[in-house]
Amino acid sequence: MPKKKNIDLKVQIGKLKLKNPVMTASGTFGYGDEYAEFVDLNTLGAIVVKGLSLKPKQGNPPPRIVETPSGMLNAIGLQNIGINSFIKKKMPFLRECKTRVIANFFGDTIDEYVKAAEKLSSVNGIDALEMNISCPNKQSGWIIFGTDPKVTYKVISAVRNSTNLPLIVKLSPNVTDISHMARVAEDAGADALSLINTLSGMAVDIQTRKPKLANITGGLSGPAIKPVAIRMVWECSKKVNIPIIGMGGIISSDDAIEFLIAGASAVAIGTANFIHPGITAEIIKGIRNYMSSKGISSVKEISGSIKC
Amino acid sequence: MPKKKNIDLKVQIGKLKLKNPVMTASGTFGYGDEYAEFVDLNTLGAIVVKGLSLKPKQGNPPPRIVETPSGMLNAIGLQNIGINSFIKKKMPFLRECKTRVIANFFGDTIDEYVKAAEKLSSVNGIDALEMNISCPNKQSGWIIFGTDPKVTYKVISAVRNSTNLPLIVKLSPNVTDISHMARVAEDAGADALSLINTLSGMAVDIQTRKPKLANITGGLSGPAIKPVAIRMVWECSKKVNIPIIGMGGIISSDDAIEFLIAGASAVAIGTANFIHPGITAEIIKGIRNYMSSKGISSVKEISGSIKC
Amino acid sequence: MNRTFKASVVENKKLINNHYLITLNPAVKIRKPKPGNFFMVAVDTGLDPLLKRPFSVHRWIDGNFQLLYRVVGKGTKILSEKKPGNVLDILGPLGKGFPAPKKNRQVILVAGGLGVAPVFSMAENIKNRAPLLFYGTKTKKSLLLIDEFRSLGIDPTVSTDDGSFGTKGNIINVLKRYLTRNSLPVTRYVLYACGPEVMLHALSHLATEYKLKGYIAMEQNMACGIGTCLGCVVKTRKGHKRVCKEGPVFPIEEIVWD
Amino acid sequence: MNRTFKASVVENKKLINNHYLITLNPAVKIRKPKPGNFFMVAVDTGLDPLLKRPFSVHRWIDGNFQLLYRVVGKGTKILSEKKPGNVLDILGPLGKGFPAPKKNRQVILVAGGLGVAPVFSMAENIKNRAPLLFYGTKTKKSLLLIDEFRSLGIDPTVSTDDGSFGTKGNIINVLKRYLTRNSLPVTRYVLYACGPEVMLHALSHLATEYKLKGYIAMEQNMACGIGTCLGCVVKTRKGHKRVCKEGPVFPIEEIVWD
Ligand SMILES: Cc1cc2nc3c(=O)[nH]c(=O)nc-3n(C[C@H](O)[C@H](O)[C@H](O)COP(=O)(O)OP(=O)(O)OC[C@H]3O[C@@H](n4cnc5c(N)ncnc54)[C@H](O)[C@@H]3O)c2cc1C
Ligand SMILES: Cc1cc2nc3c(=O)[nH]c(=O)nc-3n(C[C@H](O)[C@H](O)[C@H](O)COP(=O)(O)OP(=O)(O)OC[C@H]3O[C@@H](n4cnc5c(N)ncnc54)[C@H](O)[C@@H]3O)c2cc1C
Ligand SMILES: Cc1cc2nc3c(=O)[nH]c(=O)nc-3n(C[C@H](O)[C@H](O)[C@H](O)COP(=O)(O)O)c2cc1C
Ligand SMILES: Cc1cc2nc3c(=O)[nH]c(=O)nc-3n(C[C@H](O)[C@H](O)[C@H](O)COP(=O)(O)O)c2cc1C
Ligand code: FES
Ligand code: FES
């Protein structure tokens, strides 16, 4: 196979144009600044920031994380500095980065989601919104927004009507039929889907007989969940027409390419940033090498190219 | 802590009395005979055999298994020798083992489930039935029996009415609310629950762009899924009054004890048998040592002893 | 004798690019493996890689055994980094080996690439039967064991894909030409083959065409190695059969190719 | 200078039961760590264990550094099996170290168990300030570095839980008795402590009671070590703070105990 010289890594997520398909997963890259030492942020497709809420949140008490086989559980509890501080303290830095900035956000009520979306939409330098619907809904007994199709539809359409920015909906994987939830999100006006968020899990200390996380349960991420994530991306990509950002356990460019082949248009790197803080740049390089060695000129050709 | 001499490992699953809480997980221990070389079968709490159907099944084409980080995907496709051959060829051996024999079974239709249950119930030496409801339902467009509460209720009650043996229902973990399915199973007459079955997953070969399994998707098992399994056992044990057999990623006695503390009354060892064929006996020994070092006299004291 | 045991690495030698020869010393006395048998090797102690890896027995030397392997993925990579003194968890010997050839048969050994590992073991076993060896590889550099075969009194007929040694082209064609030029009745020959699927497939066509009998060693992803996971099946004329239990060696006519 | 680097094992020595001293040689020049800084160490190359493990810098010797660690779980077990020549992936130095003591302060070092690792590093740094050392362990056998402290000119005041060496009982009580017997105004003392949570908690009570100032090094499960996962927080009077970033060393009065 001839080695390709002109490799086109550009992808488009709705109206949002990215220089390459590699983004960071929310909550695993802080607000970008901590990683500047390890990776040239300008090379990234996009930076997705830690989930934001209207007001700052303290999050859960420690311990908040525990390692599991090829994975980790986290129960950070969505600790964040709040949208106002984010705009004041973090956006000046992010605006200077030659990459896309995607603001991940959430709320306890539909109203909070809408207000957060409106506020973020008016900020110069934010290129898209990613709404996290794996959060408990105060109004319906703290059941996760993303597990009841009716509530899911309602909160997404409300947000849709309050922003003109590209709207990415991040689905909860803890459902019976993810492709149904994907269609609901598409119908409600999502421009793209992110999947997957963490699987709900738990670990117990057999010496103390106490849960290893203060919050009892937490979200499972890392390589352990990759097979579930790949399956969900594949199932959803057959059912919706909007692009999918694939994530869950990506630790190498091979993993990223696997997501693209299965149907993702872009990928996000999460837990792997903790292990190799420079991993995002290496994954971009690896995708380029793969394309070059296979004679593929545009990364778009890889997306959804699975042969079943 | 004083070392205990009298360690009581006996547990009871409905009417079924086991000498200890360690069973084998269906599909990972064949029909027991292959393991006789590696572990004294008489020491096991119970042997759960490979899932049986009325007629023999060829299963899926290869490749059927692929390794994933700390786990594996399988798409055996429920290959089995059929109930008749099982009774004729495998039961004579199993009857001689001084352990409980639990027949795992499934069907394509409710009628097949009932017939299989009836047939197995009349066999001398079978101590309990475990019905696998993670199988596609021919009558409703091949949707899994265990993911639609109404169908789940129907198939379980039908089986309940056709057997007097202790009936264990093995739930599918690929649902939004496992504790709801657990209650449905309890209402339908299950004497106990097994959880979890495998998570639905997938892997793609980035060189050929083909799924790594001929069946495209498969079931994820092994240590990778343990946090999800522990969480589900815990959630269900709070909601039902029938005993739970916990499984999913157990590879050591510490793992087994973790399941017991989280709410399981017994445990089943699956994938670990492939890695260490003698693991079941070691896990029994490890539970005994744990109890001895903690001064616990009955394993029943461990079950559900989590401190949240 | 238990088939689960620990063995310590005596030597782990790089032969050529990516190909290694590891010598293992079992901590206990183990059954002597037959040519075609294999071992499941745990390359590390953590939970990733999770499953043991299957490798054919290559040689058996005074209670030690050797495996010949190629680095293809993460398990074999880790294996290649093992040093003398490291201890590995092993299961085996497993599977059905090559059956002994009937009297008066001319044995034809066929090896493709690293299929030469078990074929050598068979050759050693039946060297007094003056077997013929047809051995194909990609290129001259990946040829292994030529001297060792010669010291068994076997002069390999070699082909390489790029023609850098022996005949250029695939070894099944070379074998075919040999058969057409030879006058022995086909019933006098018996094949023993191991190699990549595409080679075995071509060989089975040749066997059908020439009505040749013989045995081939198959590969398939494995979890247990002892017949219980049903993961390693291949399609045969009698339904799915397990490579680890009914195989890895199958009568050539039994395999159904897609 | 990049803080991700590879380092090869120079020596990995068992000191006492379960306690090891590893000497690492970075492949590139790295920043010199301060007492209280830590490194995140990848103990293996597979995906299990997945996360790097945090260890305080114990000593820095001509560009090499040493970690003193105890085998408590699977990561440290694997680390203890590393041999000279093995290469590890490392991140660091990380976190805020112990601040330099103000002039005229009498430094009191307090170490519990393996907390002695960073405390020694601090002691080495300020040996000319004639620090006092209060050092408690379970039993005589688990006492480490006594000779090394002496060679810094420090004579440790020791207590053991079982009384097998020094005073019997916990070291905070020993320190308390020392303070009650001494006439220096409390504002002249400054504490530098590392040890198990229960010891630090007791020390903080003592500090409150005696209005002592000082610094303690905290531990918490970590994923990233660089402040982004928010996994490693502890409760402080100013809300949750990250052990890896705002810590591991905190002013003693800042920590809120449950
Ligand atoms: C009976 C038998 C005998 C074998 N003998 C040899 C030998 O003598 N020398 C040698 O180099 N190789 C041999 N192989 C192939 C060898 O098992 C694989 O190359 C090896 O498992 C790859 O592991 P990996 O982790 O490096 O690759 P990865 O691709 O990372 O492995 C991922 C998974 O796929 C499985 N896998 C990948 N390739 C194969 C394969 N070809 N066959 C079976 N499973 C595979 C692995 O076991 C593992 O579970 C044999 C295979 C079988 C079935
Ligand atoms: C800043 C800091 C400095 C440390 N310095 C030292 C040192 O110098 N020497 C030493 O022996 N130990 C030190 N520790 C503790 C050490 O990190 C743990 O003992 C080690 O991570 C245990 O790993 P494991 O895999 O053996 O245990 P496991 O229990 O198998 O580990 C499971 C998970 O829990 C985490 N974990 C377990 N115990 C601790 C702990 N006490 N602190 C943080 N994470 C933990 C592990 O990192 C891992 O993610 C330090 C911890 C921190 C936070
Ligand atoms: C520590 C941690 C914090 C996270 N915080 C958020 C968050 O604030 N918002 C969100 O949508 N997802 C959050 N996630 C989920 C990740 O963005 C990602 O979906 C998930 O971790 C799977 O990818 P991975 O396996 O590559 O980590 C978090 C994950 C981790 C591990
Ligand atoms: C190869 C394989 C075959 C299986 N076959 C069955 C089966 O026939 N019936 C069934 O109910 N579960 C089957 N299972 C699921 C296991 O019994 C068990 O629920 C699951 O693997 C989780 O446990 P583990 O992680 O310990 O393997 C199978 C699992 C594997 C890996
Ligand atoms: S590898 Fe499990 S049946 Fe063959
Ligand atoms: S370890 Fe990630 S924030 Fe401290």
Side-chain angles (χ1 to χ4, degrees):
Chain A
M1 199 74 69
K3 302 253 167 186
K4 277 268 171 182
K5 273 267 160 85
N6 294 319
I7 303 274
D8 178 9
L9 287 174
K10 288 196 290 296
V11 297
Q12 197 161 340
I13 304 293
K15 290 175 292 180
L16 183 70
K17 289 178 181 163
L18 308 182
K19 66 173 88 166
N20 67 59
V22 178
M23 329 191 337
T24 65
S26 176
T28 67
F29 211 72
Y31 304 102
D33 43 350
E34 321 271 19
Y35 279 94
E37 173 189 349
F38 302 102
V39 48
D40 178 356
L41 301 177
N42 301 320
T43 63
L44 300 178
I47 293 174
V48 182
V49 302
K50 173 73 188 159
L52 297 161
S53 51
L54 282 175
K55 299 218 180 89
K57 273 188 77 138
Q58 269 286 337
N60 290 324
R64 290 178 168 188
I65 54 171
V66 50
E67 194 184 74
T68 66
S70 295
M72 62 176 276
L73 287 167
N74 89 77
I76 308 301
L78 296 165
Q79 174 179 341
N80 77 96
I81 59 175
I83 290 180
N84 287 339
S85 291
F86 168 72
I87 296 171
K88 242 189 357 225
K89 294 190 193 150
K90 302 295 178 178
M91 275 311 295
F93 172 83
L94 285 167
R95 255 190 297 267
E96 296 307 309
C97 297
K98 291 193 203 67
T99 182
R100 300 298 181 180
V101 175
I102 300 178
N104 179 290
F105 72 102
F106 66 95
D108 281 346
T109 61
I110 292 184
D111 193 50
E112 278 181 31
Y113 268 102
V114 168
K115 290 214 177 99
E118 281 171 352
K119 205 157 195 174
L120 290 165
S121 300
S122 67
V123 179
N124 181 17
I126 294 182
D127 299 295
L129 300 185
E130 180 180 63
M131 68 185 282
N132 174 5
I133 57 171
S134 298
C135 323
N137 177 352
K138 209 193 237 175
Q139 284 148 327
S140 65
W142 299 105
I143 288 167
I144 307 290
F145 278 101
T147 55
D148 176 339
K150 282 194 203 106
V151 179
T152 308
Y153 184 88
K154 227 164 126 184
V155 67
I156 298 173
S157 15
V159 169
R160 173 71 294 170
N161 291 331
S162 58
T163 182
N164 288 318
L165 285 179
L167 177 63
I168 304 162
V169 174
K170 184 158 178 182
L171 298 180
S172 164
N174 302 297
V175 296
T176 307
D177 183 358
I178 189 79
S179 69
H180 178 62
M181 302 308 286
R183 277 196 311 267
V184 167
E186 182 177 33
D187 290 347
D191 294 310
L193 302 174
S194 276
L195 44 114
I196 62 176
N197 212 317
T198 54
L199 296 178
S200 174
M202 176 171 167
V204 182
D205 184 320
I206 68 164
Q207 301 308 328
T208 62
R209 303 201 199 178
K210 288 200 276 194
K212 287 189 177 173
L213 296 172
N215 188 53
I216 306 179
T217 62
L220 182 63
S221 67
I225 69 169
K226 196 185 69 169
V228 175
I230 295 277
R231 188 259 301 174
M232 290 189 165
V233 166
W234 177 71
E235 279 182 357
C236 292
S237 74
K238 292 187 301 175
K239 296 288 174 64
V240 297
N241 293 310
I242 50 178
I244 291 171
I245 302 159
M247 68 197 76
I250 298 176
I251 193 110
S252 68
S253 55
D254 284 5
D255 294 335
I257 294 161
E258 192 178 349
F259 272 90
L260 296 173
I261 295 173
S265 298
V267 294
I269 319 301
T271 303
N273 288 304
F274 303 152
I275 305 162
H276 306 296
I279 193 78
T280 40
E282 276 172 45
I283 287 175
I284 296 167
K285 224 184 290 168
I287 295 174
R288 194 187 292 277
N289 290 344
Y290 173 85
M291 291 172 62
S292 159
S293 75
K294 301 267 176 205
I296 300 168
S297 45
S298 164
V299 73
K300 297 193 197 85
E301 293 167 37
I302 305 178
S303 285
S305 64
I306 187 165
K307 299 176 193 160
C308 295
Chain B
M1 200 73 66
K3 303 253 168 184
K4 276 266 171 184
K5 273 265 159 90
N6 294 319
I7 302 274
D8 179 8
L9 287 174
K10 288 195 290 297
V11 297
Q12 196 160 340
I13 303 293
K15 290 174 294 180
L16 183 71
K17 289 178 179 163
L18 308 182
K19 67 173 88 165
N20 66 59
V22 178
M23 329 191 336
T24 65
S26 177
T28 66
F29 211 71
Y31 304 103
D33 43 350
E34 320 272 19
Y35 279 94
E37 173 189 349
F38 302 102
V39 48
D40 178 356
L41 301 177
N42 301 321
T43 63
L44 300 178
I47 293 175
V48 183
V49 302
K50 172 72 188 160
L52 296 160
S53 51
L54 282 175
K55 301 220 180 90
K57 274 189 77 138
Q58 270 287 337
N60 290 324
R64 289 177 169 189
I65 54 172
V66 51
E67 193 184 74
T68 66
S70 295
M72 62 176 277
L73 287 167
N74 89 77
I76 308 301
L78 295 166
Q79 174 180 340
N80 77 96
I81 58 176
I83 290 180
N84 288 338
S85 291
F86 168 71
I87 296 171
K88 241 188 358 224
K89 294 189 195 151
K90 302 295 179 179
M91 275 310 296
F93 172 84
L94 285 168
R95 256 190 295 265
E96 296 306 310
C97 296
K98 290 194 204 65
T99 182
R100 300 299 181 180
V101 175
I102 300 178
N104 179 289
F105 71 102
F106 65 95
D108 280 346
T109 61
I110 292 183
D111 194 48
E112 278 181 32
Y113 268 102
V114 168
K115 289 216 177 97
E118 281 170 353
K119 205 157 195 173
L120 290 165
S121 301
S122 67
V123 179
N124 181 15
I126 295 182
D127 299 296
L129 301 184
E130 180 180 64
M131 67 184 285
N132 175 4
I133 56 170
S134 297
C135 324
N137 177 353
K138 210 193 235 176
Q139 284 148 326
S140 65
W142 298 106
I143 287 167
I144 307 290
F145 277 101
T147 55
D148 177 340
K150 283 194 203 104
V151 180
T152 307
Y153 184 87
K154 228 164 122 183
V155 67
I156 298 172
S157 17
V159 169
R160 172 71 292 173
N161 292 330
S162 58
T163 183
N164 287 317
L165 285 178
L167 178 62
I168 303 161
V169 174
K170 185 157 177 183
L171 299 179
S172 164
N174 302 297
V175 297
T176 307
D177 183 358
I178 189 78
S179 69
H180 179 61
M181 301 309 285
R183 277 196 311 266
V184 168
E186 181 177 35
D187 290 347
D191 295 310
L193 302 174
S194 276
L195 42 115
I196 62 174
N197 213 316
T198 55
L199 295 179
S200 176
M202 176 173 168
V204 182
D205 184 320
I206 68 164
Q207 302 307 327
T208 62
R209 302 200 200 179
K210 287 200 279 194
K212 287 189 177 174
L213 296 172
N215 187 54
I216 307 178
T217 62
L220 183 62
S221 66
I225 69 170
K226 196 186 69 169
V228 175
I230 295 277
R231 189 259 302 172
M232 289 187 166
V233 166
W234 177 71
E235 279 182 358
C236 292
S237 74
K238 291 187 301 173
K239 296 288 173 65
V240 297
N241 293 310
I242 50 178
I244 292 171
I245 302 159
M247 69 195 76
I250 298 176
I251 193 111
S252 68
S253 55
D254 284 5
D255 294 334
I257 294 161
E258 193 178 349
F259 272 91
L260 296 174
I261 294 172
S265 298
V267 295
I269 319 301
T271 302
N273 290 302
F274 303 152
I275 304 162
H276 305 296
I279 192 81
T280 40
E282 277 172 43
I283 287 175
I284 297 168
K285 222 183 292 168
I287 295 175
R288 193 187 292 277
N289 289 343
Y290 173 84
M291 290 171 63
S292 159
S293 75
K294 301 265 177 206
I296 301 169
S297 44
S298 165
V299 73
K300 296 192 197 87
E301 293 167 35
I302 305 177
S303 285
S305 64
I306 187 166
K307 299 176 191 160
C308 294
Chain C
M1 263 180 283
N2 201 317
R3 289 191 291 175
T4 54
F5 61 92
K6 289 185 189 298
S8 53
V9 177
V10 177
E11 193 183 40
N12 194 12
K13 196 168 63 178
K14 186 172 183 164
L15 298 181
I16 52 170
N17 188 26
N18 276 340
H19 290 63
Y20 291 78
L21 178 68
I22 193 167
T23 307
L24 292 160
N25 175 241
V28 294
K29 202 168 142 51
I30 64 162
R31 293 182 212 176
K32 186 179 166 187
K34 286 188 208 148
N37 279 164
F38 67 98
F39 289 96
M40 297 288 287
V41 178
V43 298
D44 218 339
T45 49
L47 299 177
D48 175 72
L50 183 68
L51 303 170
K52 291 191 166 84
R53 277 22 184 181
F55 298 99
S56 304
V57 57
H58 170 52
R59 291 186 83 171
W60 172 265
I61 306 170
D62 303 330
N64 285 359
F65 61 96
Q66 292 186 319
L67 309 174
L68 189 58
Y69 65 96
R70 192 175 37 161
V71 173
V72 298
K74 84 172 145 189
T76 44
K77 176 83 173 49
I78 292 170
L79 189 60
S80 73
E81 289 160 359
K82 293 295 157 189
K83 303 273 176 256
N86 279 145
V87 174
L88 306 176
D89 244 329
I90 298 181
L91 178 63
L94 303 166
K96 283 214 180 107
F98 289 108
K102 289 196 191 134
K103 273 190 190 165
N104 299 323
R105 292 289 164 87
Q106 171 60 54
V107 174
I108 298 181
L109 302 170
V110 188
L114 215 62
V116 75
V119 165
F120 180 84
S121 150
M122 186 66 192
E124 217 178 6
N125 226 32
I126 54 150
K127 57 176 185 233
N128 58 336
R129 299 281 302 260
L132 298 170
L133 170 64
F134 290 82
Y135 177 20
T137 62
K138 285 223 174 79
T139 178
K140 183 179 171 180
K141 275 201 182 153
S142 33
L143 275 172
L144 293 168
L145 306 169
I146 297 298
D147 292 342
E148 286 82 351
F149 277 113
R150 294 213 170 110
S151 72
L152 297 179
I154 299 167
D155 190 35
T157 302
V158 172
S159 77
T160 50
D161 292 351
D162 62 1
S164 52
F165 193 89
T167 314
K168 179 175 172 147
N170 92 53
I171 194 69
I172 304 303
N173 287 335
V174 176
L175 173 59
K176 183 171 176 168
R177 259 172 275 142
Y178 171 84
L179 291 169
T180 53
R181 280 198 314 264
N182 256 269
S183 48
L184 268 191
V186 289
T187 50
R188 286 287 307 283
Y189 292 114
V190 60
L191 302 168
Y192 287 84
C194 186
E197 204 168 296
V198 41
M199 180 198 99
L200 296 178
H201 193 167
L203 184 66
S204 88
H205 280 302
L206 186 73
T208 312
E209 193 183 334
Y210 284 76
K211 301 204 173 57
L212 289 163
K213 297 280 168 194
Y215 301 92
I216 55 180
M218 301 290 290
E219 289 190 7
Q220 188 57 266
N221 289 3
M222 290 186 173
C224 70
I226 57 170
T228 60
C229 74
L230 306 181
C232 67
V233 299
V234 287
K235 283 188 210 165
T236 76
R237 304 212 181 277
K238 296 171 196 157
H240 286 135
K241 287 199 175 180
R242 296 165 295 184
V243 168
C244 72
K245 195 84 185 176
E246 286 84 35
V249 173
F250 292 91
I252 194 163
E253 71 278 7
E254 231 185 55
I255 301 300
V256 176
W257 303 91
D258 287 319
Chain D
M1 266 179 282
N2 200 317
R3 289 191 291 176
T4 55
F5 61 93
K6 288 184 190 299
S8 52
V9 177
V10 178
E11 191 182 41
N12 194 12
K13 196 167 63 178
K14 186 172 183 165
L15 298 182
I16 51 169
N17 188 28
N18 277 339
H19 290 63
Y20 291 77
L21 178 69
I22 193 168
T23 308
L24 293 160
N25 175 241
V28 296
K29 202 167 142 55
I30 65 163
R31 293 182 212 175
K32 186 178 166 187
K34 286 188 207 148
N37 279 164
F38 67 98
F39 289 96
M40 296 288 286
V41 178
V43 297
D44 218 340
T45 49
L47 298 177
D48 175 73
L50 183 69
L51 302 170
K52 292 191 165 84
R53 283 6 188 192
F55 298 98
S56 304
V57 56
H58 169 53
R59 290 186 84 171
W60 171 266
I61 306 170
D62 302 330
N64 285 0
F65 62 94
Q66 291 185 321
L67 310 174
L68 189 58
Y69 64 97
R70 191 174 38 161
V71 173
V72 298
K74 82 173 147 190
T76 44
K77 176 83 172 52
I78 292 170
L79 188 60
S80 73
E81 289 159 0
K82 293 296 158 188
K83 304 272 175 254
N86 279 144
V87 173
L88 306 176
D89 244 331
I90 297 180
L91 178 63
L94 303 166
K96 283 214 181 105
F98 289 108
K102 289 198 191 133
K103 273 189 190 164
N104 298 325
R105 290 289 163 88
Q106 170 60 54
V107 175
I108 297 180
L109 302 171
V110 187
L114 214 62
V116 75
V119 165
F120 180 85
S121 152
M122 186 65 192
E124 217 178 8
N125 226 32
I126 54 151
K127 57 179 184 227
N128 59 337
R129 299 281 302 262
L132 298 169
L133 170 64
F134 291 82
Y135 177 18
T137 62
K138 284 221 175 77
T139 177
K140 183 181 172 181
K141 273 199 183 155
S142 34
L143 276 172
L144 293 168
L145 306 170
I146 297 298
D147 291 343
E148 286 81 351
F149 278 114
R150 294 211 171 113
S151 73
L152 296 179
I154 299 168
D155 190 34
T157 303
V158 172
S159 77
T160 51
D161 292 351
D162 63 1
S164 52
F165 193 91
T167 314
K168 179 173 172 149
N170 92 53
I171 194 69
I172 305 303
N173 286 336
V174 176
L175 173 60
K176 183 170 176 170
R177 261 172 274 142
Y178 172 85
L179 291 169
T180 52
R181 280 197 314 263
N182 257 268
S183 49
L184 269 191
V186 288
T187 50
R188 285 287 305 284
Y189 291 114
V190 59
L191 302 168
Y192 287 83
C194 185
E197 205 168 296
V198 41
M199 180 197 100
L200 297 178
H201 192 166
L203 184 64
S204 87
H205 279 304
L206 186 74
T208 312
E209 194 183 331
Y210 284 74
K211 300 204 174 61
L212 288 164
K213 296 280 169 195
Y215 301 91
I216 54 180
M218 300 292 289
E219 289 191 7
Q220 189 55 267
N221 289 3
M222 291 185 172
C224 69
I226 57 171
T228 60
C229 73
L230 305 182
C232 66
V233 300
V234 286
K235 283 188 208 163
T236 76
R237 305 211 180 278
K238 295 170 194 156
H240 285 135
K241 287 199 174 179
R242 297 165 295 184
V243 169
C244 72
K245 196 83 185 177
E246 286 85 35
V249 174
F250 292 92
I252 194 163
E253 70 279 6
E254 233 185 55
I255 300 299
V256 177
W257 304 91
D258 287 320

